[in-house]
Amino acid sequence: MRITAWRAALRIARRDAMRAKGRSALVLAMIALPVLGVAGVDVVARSAQLEPAEQAVRMMGGADALVSVSGRGMTVLQAPNHRAETQSVGPTEGKSPTPEQKRSSETEPDALLPQLLPPGTTLVPVPFGPRASATTKEGRLSVGTTEADLTDPVWRGLLNVVEGAAPSGDRQVAATRAFLDQSGLRIGDSTALRGLEATPYTITGMVEYPDDLGSVELVARPGGLIAALDKARGSEQGDRGNPGHGGDWLVKLPAGQTLGWPQVLELNKYGFGATSRTVLLDPPARSEVPLYAYQAQHGYDTTRIDAAALAVVGTVVGMALLEIVLLAGPAFAVGARRSRRQLGLIAAGGGDRSHVRAVVLGGGVVLGLAGAVVGVVLAVVLVAVGRPWLEEWGGQRFGHFDLQPLDLLGIAAVGLVTGLLAAVVPAVQAARQNVVEALTGRGSLKPANRWIAMLGLVMVAGGAALALLGSALGAGRGLPVLGGSVIAELGMVLCTPVLVGLFGRLGRLLPLSPRLALRDAVRHRGRTAPAVAAVMAAVAGSVAVGIYTTSSDEQNRREYVATVPSGAVVLRAGWNPDSIAQLPQLRAAVEQSISDLGPRGDTYDVSYGGDCRKAPGSCGEVRPKLPAELRCPADELQDAGEVGVSRPTDDPRCRLHGGREARYGMSLGDATVLHNLFAVHDPAAEQALAQGKAVVFDQQYVKDGKLILALTEPMRSEEEAKAMAEGRRLRPVTHEITVDAVYVAPTMPGELALLTPQAARAVGLSAAESGSVWLPAAAPTGVAQQRADAALSKVDEDAFLQVERGYEGGRDLYALGLTGFAALVALGAAGIATGLASADSQNDLATLAAVGATGGIRRRLSGFQCGVIAAMGAVLGTLCGVVPAVALRRLEAASQSAVMEAGGIPRETVIAFPWLNLGLTLIVLPALACGLAMLVTRSRLVLARRAG
């Protein structure tokens, strides 16, 4: 065809689209909506992706570099952005440390760093303050603390004052928006921190971290908060705010100086990680980064993609595009059928089949292009208007509003191609119609092509086999799953005309109106098959996602392990040292909020050599240990500090105990804890516990009435640094003790042993209160739990309350909503097909009116025409949706098995069907389609004069 012919075809298509505004709007919406979604995601992702200059401002504000100490006596391997990827490597065992490592271990970092940077460099500390409990309008809130001189331009871009003023006095702070929103306070209000209640702080301004909008933090002037908090706590944690103890520095270099990649590598030798503005703007080649060479040497693959997740996304996207094509196809078929006289005139006037095809394809081009443009423009406008809400939802500010023309053109091209593909089949059908029949409004009935049906059957079987085979091959085989699912669905589309004929054999069992509707659908397979395929596509997507999510939910349900009895209420204090002092108030808050809790059992944490809550490394570990003859040799080597030890799979002692009955650790408590936490009501066990014996729930650990406890000495940070400086590995110091023990058959999974705190202290262990547990006759209501959570937050924001309610799935509502959406789409497709059937059935309806049919016959006939199409599409769509769902579930299982540790128990592949949703799809959907079609169809019959 010549260009002029295409121009004429496109003009005709545009005019047809303007005349049939309702149909055109429907097709345009089906194409524009996915384009809108994809284009919106692209604009948001591109805008959130920071340019190097923007990334530098977010990391270091107005400084030239950000430097962090990763470990004294260590060598740092880092990416150009050390916050993105960093690895610390110590001296090789048996070898002397390098001069740089030795100097690093012997010199305080805050004294060493200025020696490594050019003279005249200014270092601005970025202190890490302790978390504190601040007063709010309703109670208390856990908040982070830091210090910064916000009047210094070096902070601009890293920490910004967005409202109010920067703190100027020692009793002033700035607060983040998240703190103000959660606390109910405003600028000008005061808040008091626990331990500093006598000297509250005034909030002078609102600040934000552009890269972390959800941060709940208070910012004071340097020296105005952190030291006071540590002094009030009476702890030795003042080093947390001192950069010499693991902090960061903002580095301002003298004029004309830069910190290039060689200088960064030099800092790495002394245990410092650094990100330089110069390096971010001009990053080194990958071959010049030692970290990447180290990873390649040790077989690390940091670029590995989750193949199972990629297969899920690819399958969903591919099936969605296919669904759009199948849904839009009937709409173009309606247009072609309503314009058949016009198309017949084109043929009668000398046009050949290519011209007729061009007119129908032109409709696909016009509507596809319009839908793509509308989708892209709406996406850009909506992202621009909703930018503040999108940034808040994403937790960070956009770098800039970024529109990538190539991305948007590609997305628009997908919309155009989708519209064109949807018009292909109607175009071919219109080009094949007889000219005389088109001009007179009569149509010829053609039987279904059995060879095409055979090809479709082969495609269904082959596609299903390909998808299932690809899933069985495991990770990296997502393409066969996608390809097989699409091939199977296309094969079902090819089989649709024959299947429609098979459905027609049920007509003799039906009353008059549904029988007429079914036989009409069978006679006019050319219009019925595309409509059934469209409904099938919508239902297949819904069923596939429904089966997939239901199966995942069922697998999670089967694997769920409750570690406390059903209905138990467990209170855990926060990890801060101050939290333990609040336990009486926390217990009172729970008991006042929830009635009829029953007896309370107080729980304790067990440790050795100190209290773990005071500071890291201040306590040692306590754990039950198997008798020597039952221990895995590999575990013994690992306990001794060996690294890289593999577990032999042929030794039964080395099999991983990772099933539902796995037990680890030990609890401290009395007989009430035995009842409430372990659901054990055994007088013998209670008596043994009262006698100071350990109650053990795994028989293998008890030998000759004794339980072995392995005690690990605390590993002090200074000892580790000294060992590292000397080029040796600090191995844990462990020894064993035994306690009297009795075995009690467990009633449920949980911890391995229970000992009273008095008995633990008697053998030299530390016992610190950690919480309480209640076991009421019935689980508290959700309202009562919310009331208790609110009461706890006023005392200690870090306190945790758990009510064991068994497995609680969260997918049912989602799957039901997806079924409703698919039903809406299917109803639209069935409605389009009903309109097409109405256009074709005018002569039949006129005949019925002539022989005395009542006025309601048209409503019932239209209703059952719509219901028949919806029913056939629902049945076929349900069958089609099973293939991708089962294949993706099997692919996930194979991918997880591929990375499973040796000796582990492979996960079974669970396939579960959402029977409620399937019932709604197969029964309610056709009935709803039938009823709606009856309501919107006029009952008055108009006798028309037949052409010819």
Side-chain angles (χ1 to χ4, degrees):
M1 285 180 59
R2 292 181 298 179
I3 297 297
T4 54
W6 272 108
R7 289 175 59 189
L10 290 175
R11 278 202 308 271
I12 294 172
R14 181 181 61 81
R15 290 171 182 171
D16 285 344
M18 295 302 295
R19 280 196 297 266
K21 292 183 175 62
R23 174 177 58 83
S24 300
L26 180 63
V27 176
L28 189 143
M30 283 192 288
I31 295 174
L33 283 176
V35 171
L36 167 66
V38 177
V41 170
D42 178 79
V43 174
V44 170
R46 291 291 189 177
S47 300
Q49 187 176 3
L50 302 180
E51 299 289 340
E54 296 167 341
Q55 193 176 12
V57 173
R58 293 284 176 91
M59 288 190 66
M60 60 195 72
D64 298 298
L66 173 69
V67 178
S68 306
V69 58
S70 296
R72 298 177 61 178
M74 307 287 283
T75 297
V76 173
L77 303 176
Q78 68 162 74
N81 178 356
H82 82 283
R83 286 281 179 86
E85 200 170 0
T86 299
Q87 187 163 347
S88 299
V89 180
T92 305
E93 189 170 5
K95 294 185 179 180
S96 300
T98 64
E100 294 86 356
Q101 290 173 336
K102 187 174 182 181
R103 184 180 175 188
S104 171
S105 64
E106 295 173 349
T107 311
E108 291 293 336
D110 54 348
L112 176 61
L113 184 58
Q115 303 172 20
L116 304 176
L117 295 172
T121 297
T122 301
L123 299 180
V124 180
V126 184
F128 302 113
R131 293 198 66 82
S133 178
T135 57
T136 67
K137 192 173 182 180
E138 298 294 335
R140 306 194 74 89
L141 179 67
S142 178
V143 62
T145 57
T146 190
E147 296 175 347
D149 181 5
L150 297 178
T151 60
D152 189 341
V154 75
W155 292 96
R156 195 166 300 141
L158 170 62
L159 179 59
N160 297 326
V161 179
V162 294
E163 190 177 335
S168 57
D170 288 343
R171 293 301 166 187
Q172 295 180 346
V173 293
T176 60
R177 183 188 301 273
F179 173 81
L180 294 177
D181 290 343
Q182 295 180 31
S183 65
L185 301 177
R186 296 292 180 265
I187 295 175
D189 293 343
S190 296
T191 182
L193 302 178
R194 192 180 303 280
L196 303 176
E197 288 85 354
T199 53
Y201 287 78
T202 302
I203 301 173
T204 62
M206 181 169 64
V207 296
E208 72 173 22
Y209 291 92
D211 231 21
D212 185 11
L213 300 179
S215 176
V216 180
E217 198 163 84
L218 296 177
V219 183
R221 287 185 56 79
L225 179 59
I226 296 176
L229 280 174
D230 289 328
K231 182 179 180 181
R233 292 185 175 189
S235 63
E236 299 297 329
Q237 297 180 22
D239 54 24
R240 237 188 312 206
N242 185 347
H245 294 80
D248 294 348
W249 296 264
L250 297 175
V251 178
K252 295 192 290 186
L253 297 171
Q257 295 284 343
T258 60
L259 193 67
W261 184 241
Q263 289 78 27
V264 171
L265 294 179
E266 186 66 22
L267 289 174
N268 292 162
K269 297 177 182 179
Y270 293 89
F272 293 102
T275 300
S276 163
R277 188 183 301 271
T278 302
V279 173
L280 285 179
L281 297 177
D282 185 19
R286 189 176 180 88
S287 59
E288 298 177 12
V289 181
L291 173 67
Y292 300 147
Y294 179 86
Q295 291 174 341
Q297 180 182 355
H298 290 78
Y300 299 155
D301 183 10
T302 59
T303 60
R304 185 175 65 86
I305 299 175
D306 189 341
L310 191 61
V312 172
V313 173
T315 302
V316 170
V317 171
M319 299 292 284
L321 291 177
L322 176 61
E323 185 171 323
I324 294 169
V325 171
L326 294 177
L327 285 171
F332 286 108
V334 170
R337 189 59 61 98
R338 291 186 182 274
S339 304
R340 57 185 171 179
R341 179 174 175 80
Q342 174 184 277
L343 297 175
L345 289 172
I346 293 175
D352 57 21
R353 289 187 175 184
S354 62
H355 294 100
V356 176
R357 282 197 300 269
V359 172
V360 182
L361 288 174
V365 172
V366 169
L367 294 178
L369 183 60
V373 171
V374 169
V376 169
V377 172
L378 279 178
V380 173
V381 171
L382 289 176
V383 173
V385 172
R387 177 175 177 175
W389 294 277
L390 290 170
E391 290 175 337
E392 292 290 340
W393 181 76
Q396 65 179 39
R397 299 291 180 199
F398 289 172
H400 61 287
F401 193 69
D402 191 1
L403 301 179
Q404 293 290 329
L406 289 180
D407 289 2
L408 298 180
L409 284 175
I411 294 168
V414 172
L416 173 61
V417 171
T418 300
L420 191 60
L421 290 176
V424 167
V425 174
V428 173
Q429 291 176 342
R432 291 178 178 177
Q433 69 180 348
N434 184 275
V435 177
V436 176
E437 292 174 352
L439 293 174
T440 59
R442 297 172 180 173
S444 59
L445 302 177
K446 297 180 180 179
N449 192 317
R450 296 187 180 274
W451 289 108
I452 293 180
M454 290 297 295
L455 175 61
L457 187 60
V458 171
M459 291 176 65
V460 170
L466 179 62
L468 295 177
L469 178 62
S471 66
L473 293 177
R477 305 293 180 177
L479 187 59
V481 174
L482 169 60
S485 301
V486 172
I487 290 172
E489 186 160 342
L490 287 175
M492 189 66 77
V493 171
L494 295 180
C495 293
T496 302
V498 172
L499 294 174
V500 168
L502 295 178
F503 277 110
R505 297 183 179 181
L506 300 174
R508 63 178 181 271
L509 306 177
L510 301 175
L512 176 62
S513 294
R515 184 166 67 249
L516 288 176
L518 185 56
R519 289 179 176 175
D520 178 73
V522 173
R523 282 199 307 271
H524 299 279
R525 302 182 196 188
R527 60 170 163 78
T528 303
V532 170
V535 177
M536 179 190 73
V539 172
S542 167
V543 169
V545 177
I547 293 176
Y548 179 83
T549 55
T550 303
S551 300
S552 299
D553 188 62
E554 179 62 24
Q555 180 145 7
N556 293 336
R557 185 185 305 278
R558 294 185 186 184
E559 294 177 351
Y560 176 77
V561 178
T563 56
V564 296
S566 177
V569 178
V570 181
L571 169 67
R572 291 284 299 182
W575 194 248
N576 291 327
D578 292 345
S579 298
I580 298 303
Q582 306 299 322
L583 264 176
Q585 294 97 310
L586 294 174
R587 289 163 177 158
V590 173
E591 291 173 337
Q592 291 171 7
S593 302
I594 304 176
S595 59
D596 301 324
L597 282 173
R600 186 189 80 210
D602 295 335
T603 58
Y604 296 74
D605 286 333
V606 61
S607 58
Y608 176 67
D611 186 355
C612 297
R613 294 177 183 267
K614 288 185 178 179
S618 63
C619 68
E621 182 186 11
V622 180
R623 58 185 177 86
K625 200 168 185 180
L626 285 166
E629 63 272 13
L630 299 179
R631 299 173 192 167
C632 175
D635 291 342
E636 293 289 277
L637 295 175
Q638 289 176 350
D639 291 344
E642 298 291 337
V643 295
V645 180
S646 59
R647 301 173 65 89
T649 57
D650 56 347
D651 191 336
R653 297 175 298 174
C654 297
R655 291 176 183 167
L656 293 177
H657 302 286
R660 293 174 57 87
E661 303 303 323
R663 297 179 178 279
Y664 306 96
M666 184 172 68
S667 292
L668 298 184
D670 57 11
T672 308
V673 174
L674 182 67
H675 302 158
N676 296 353
L677 195 61
F678 296 91
V680 172
H681 297 271
D682 185 346
E686 296 173 18
Q687 183 179 2
L689 202 60
Q691 294 173 352
K693 297 181 180 180
V695 176
V696 183
F697 303 101
D698 189 334
Q699 198 165 9
Q700 295 184 94
Y701 282 80
V702 180
K703 180 181 179 182
D704 299 330
K706 298 289 185 180
L707 170 67
I708 301 173
L709 297 179
L711 312 181
T712 304
E713 296 283 350
M715 296 182 67
R716 310 294 179 184
S717 57
E718 58 271 15
E719 295 176 0
E720 290 183 285
K722 180 179 179 182
M724 203 168 292
E726 296 173 355
R728 58 185 177 85
R729 189 186 305 279
L730 186 63
R731 300 179 183 275
V733 178
T734 62
H735 58 276
E736 298 176 357
I737 63 172
T738 59
V739 295
D740 294 334
V742 296
Y743 167 72
V744 175
T747 59
M748 60 182 304
E751 292 190 280
L752 194 142
L754 176 67
L755 192 66
T756 62
Q758 296 81 3
R761 295 189 183 105
V763 295
L765 306 180
S766 299
E769 282 190 288
S770 61
S772 299
V773 57
W774 297 263
L775 187 60
T781 64
V783 174
Q785 184 177 356
Q786 292 175 15
R787 190 165 55 243
D789 287 332
L792 291 175
S793 66
K794 295 179 181 180
V795 180
D796 184 0
E797 182 69 20
D798 294 330
F800 172 72
L801 184 70
Q802 173 195 358
V803 178
E804 178 54 53
R805 304 183 187 276
Y807 177 74
E808 296 178 303
R811 300 182 183 272
D812 292 341
L813 187 60
Y814 170 75
L816 194 61
L818 185 66
T819 301
F821 175 76
L824 184 63
V825 175
L827 287 173
I832 293 172
T834 304
L836 182 56
S838 176
D840 277 345
S841 303
Q842 291 300 319
N843 293 336
D844 295 336
L845 293 173
T847 301
L848 288 173
V851 298
T854 61
I857 190 67
R858 176 173 180 172
R859 270 203 314 239
R860 291 195 294 273
L861 182 59
S862 294
F864 283 112
Q865 282 174 334
C866 191
V868 163
I869 291 170
M872 290 189 288
V875 171
L876 298 180
T878 300
L879 296 176
C880 283
V882 173
V883 173
V886 173
L888 288 175
R889 288 290 301 156
R890 287 166 58 91
L891 177 65
E892 275 191 339
S895 301
Q896 291 166 355
S897 298
V899 298
M900 186 168 294
E901 193 174 346
I905 302 174
R907 297 180 67 188
E908 67 170 316
T909 303
V910 177
I911 305 296
F913 291 87
W915 296 113
L916 174 61
N917 298 341
L918 292 180
L920 292 174
T921 300
L922 293 172
I923 299 173
V924 177
L925 174 61
L928 185 60
C930 182
L932 289 176
M934 287 183 182
L935 288 176
V936 300
T937 302
R938 291 181 300 177
S939 60
R940 187 171 62 89
L941 292 172
V942 179
L943 294 179
R945 182 177 180 273
R946 297 193 180 188

